[in-house]
Amino acid sequence: MKYHEFVCAIEKRMNQKLEGGVTAREYTAIKNNGKIKRGLLIETPGVNISPTIYLEEYYQRSLDGESIDELVQDILNFYGIVKCKKSWDTTEIECYDSIRDKIVFKLIHTEKNHELLRKIPHIDLLDLSIVFYALLDLNSQGTATMTIGNEHMKCWDVTKEELFALARSNVKSLLPAELFTIRQAVEEVLRSVPGEKKNLLKDCLHERDDFMYVLSNPIRSFGAACIAYPDVLDMAGRILGEDYYVLPSSVHEVVLVPVSKGMAPDEMNAMVAEINETQVEEEEILSNHAYLYNRGARTLISYSSLASEL
C-alpha cells in the first residue's frame, strides 16, 4: 500500500469511528525546509482550532505488519489527549498588546525556505533567518504556536526590528538558554524520568572533562535560536575559555566544540553534512556546515566561507 492510499484508508476508518459530528480529513502542510507532510486534520463542530496528526510513523508500523484497526485505535487514543475542547479566542491574536509577551523567535535556513520567507517577517543571520512565532501555550503535552506573518505585522503596525527586539527580551523568560555537556544530553535521552539539570550558563561552570557542549532551551524545541540570544555566545565563550565551533545539530539545538578540540574546516563541515543526511529529519535540518565564534570580535562566522579561504 502506497502512503497516499494508506492515508485515505485511515481517513475512511477514522470517520467511521468518530462521534459527535467530529470529522477527519486529509491535510497537507509545508513544513520547515519545504518538507511536505500529509496527515489528518480532525475537526470538532463549534471549535475553531483543530489538531493535525501526521501519519508517517503509523505508515511505517503498517509496513511492519500492524493492522489498520490497531493503528486507528492508537490514533484515536492520541487524539483524546491532544484534542481541543473549546475555541481559541482570536481577539488575543488581533490585539498586539494581548500577544506581545508571547512573541519569540526561531532559526531556519534561508535558501531552503525562500518561499516561506516571502510571507513572513525575518532577520538575516549569515545563511540563516530569524523568524517569529507566538508561543500560545506550553504544557506537558507540547506547545501551541502561531507563525507570525506579514499580515500580522501590518495589522499590529510594527516593524520586524521591533518584533526582534521584543522577542529577544521575551525568550529570556519564556525559553531561556541552557548550556550543558554532551554527556548530560545523552543521559537526558536515555533516562525514563527527568533528572537534575545543570545549566552551565546559570552556574558559570566549565566541565573540563568534556569537550562537546549542547546549547538549547528547556523544552528542546527550536533551541538553535539560542545563538541569537543577547550575550549567550559570549557567555559560552567565557565558560569554554576560547573560541569555539558551532555545529548545527538541528533546528532544536547546536553543539559547541572548543577550537583546541576541533578538526580541519572541511572535516568539520563533512561531519555536519553526514549527520544531517543519516540522523536528522529533513524538516529539522538547520544548516549543512559549521560556524566559528570569535570571542575577541564577538562575531559568529560561517565556517563554509572560512573553509574555502584556508
Side-chain angles (χ1 to χ4, degrees), residues 273-288:
E274 181 181 359
I275 291 174
N276 282 343
E277 184 175 349
T278 60
Q279 301 182 36
V280 184
E281 295 289 338
E282 183 179 350
E283 66 186 89
E284 296 187 345
I285 293 174
L286 179 60
S287 174
N288 276 324

Side-chain angles (χ1 to χ4, degrees), residues 231-249:
D231 303 320
V232 163
L233 292 183
D234 192 47
M235 292 171 63
R238 291 198 297 270
I239 292 170
L240 272 60
E242 58 181 288
D243 293 353
Y244 57 87
Y245 305 118
V246 178
L247 309 184
S249 177

Side-chain angles (χ1 to χ4, degrees), residues 123-271:
I123 302 287
D124 294 334
L125 177 63
L126 300 177
D127 59 336
L128 307 175
S129 290
I130 297 167
V131 299
F132 307 98
Y133 65 100
L135 188 60
L136 301 175
D137 192 21
L138 173 61
N139 56 52
S140 59
Q141 303 302 327
T143 61
T145 65
M146 179 191 75
T147 300
I148 294 176
N150 292 333
E151 71 276 11
H152 297 111
M153 191 169 59
K154 183 177 180 180
C155 176
W156 298 334
D157 191 25
V158 296
T159 65
K160 63 181 182 181
E161 289 77 18
E162 290 172 328
L163 285 176
F164 188 36
L166 178 64
R168 274 166 55 98
S169 176
N170 287 341
V171 292
K172 295 179 184 179
S173 57
L174 296 178
L175 299 169
E178 291 187 354
L179 179 68
F180 46 97
T181 65
I182 196 74
R183 182 173 59 251
Q184 180 181 329
V186 172
E187 291 173 352
E188 186 176 286
V189 171
L190 295 178
R191 278 195 300 259
S192 58
V193 294
E196 181 181 358
K197 291 183 179 181
K198 181 183 290 186
N199 184 0
L200 303 181
L201 293 174
K202 182 178 179 181
D203 300 328
C204 295
L205 297 175
H206 184 184
E207 297 283 342
R208 298 188 180 278
D209 59 340
D210 217 321
F211 65 93
M212 298 180 74
Y213 304 82
V214 178
L215 180 63
S216 188
N217 57 36
I219 63 173
R220 311 297 188 247
S221 177
F222 295 110
C226 291
I227 67 174
Y229 284 21
D231 303 320
V232 163
L233 292 183
D234 192 47
M235 292 171 63
R238 291 198 297 270
I239 292 170
L240 272 60
E242 58 181 288
D243 293 353
Y244 57 87
Y245 305 118
V246 178
L247 309 184
S249 177
S250 74
V251 293
H252 302 305
E253 70 279 311
V254 296
V255 174
L256 310 185
V257 181
V259 163
S260 61
K261 307 292 185 180
M263 300 180 290
D266 55 345
E267 294 176 318
M268 193 77 75
N269 289 338
M271 180 178 68

Side-chain angles (χ1 to χ4, degrees), residues 29-89:
I30 301 178
K31 310 294 280 187
N32 187 45
N33 296 331
K35 172 69 174 179
I36 297 176
K37 297 193 71 173
R38 292 180 175 87
L40 291 182
L41 182 70
I42 305 179
E43 298 174 297
T44 301
V47 178
N48 66 359
I49 183 168
S50 305
T52 300
I53 300 176
Y54 296 104
L55 301 177
E56 285 84 358
E57 175 188 342
Y58 298 98
Y59 179 57
Q60 184 58 54
R61 288 168 57 182
S62 172
L63 296 178
D64 292 338
E66 290 192 52
S67 70
I68 293 293
D69 282 341
E70 289 175 315
L71 297 174
V72 165
Q73 188 56 55
D74 272 4
I75 295 170
L76 287 170
N77 293 339
F78 180 63
Y79 169 66
I81 296 173
V82 301
K83 67 180 179 181
C84 301
K85 297 181 180 180
K86 60 180 181 179
S87 292
W88 186 266
D89 184 2

Side-chain angles (χ1 to χ4, degrees), residues 1-10 38 59 62-63 68:
M1 183 185 297
K2 295 182 179 179
Y3 184 63
H4 179 67
E5 295 172 332
F6 172 77
V7 174
C8 291
I10 293 289
R38 292 180 175 87
Y59 179 57
S62 172
L63 296 178
I68 293 293

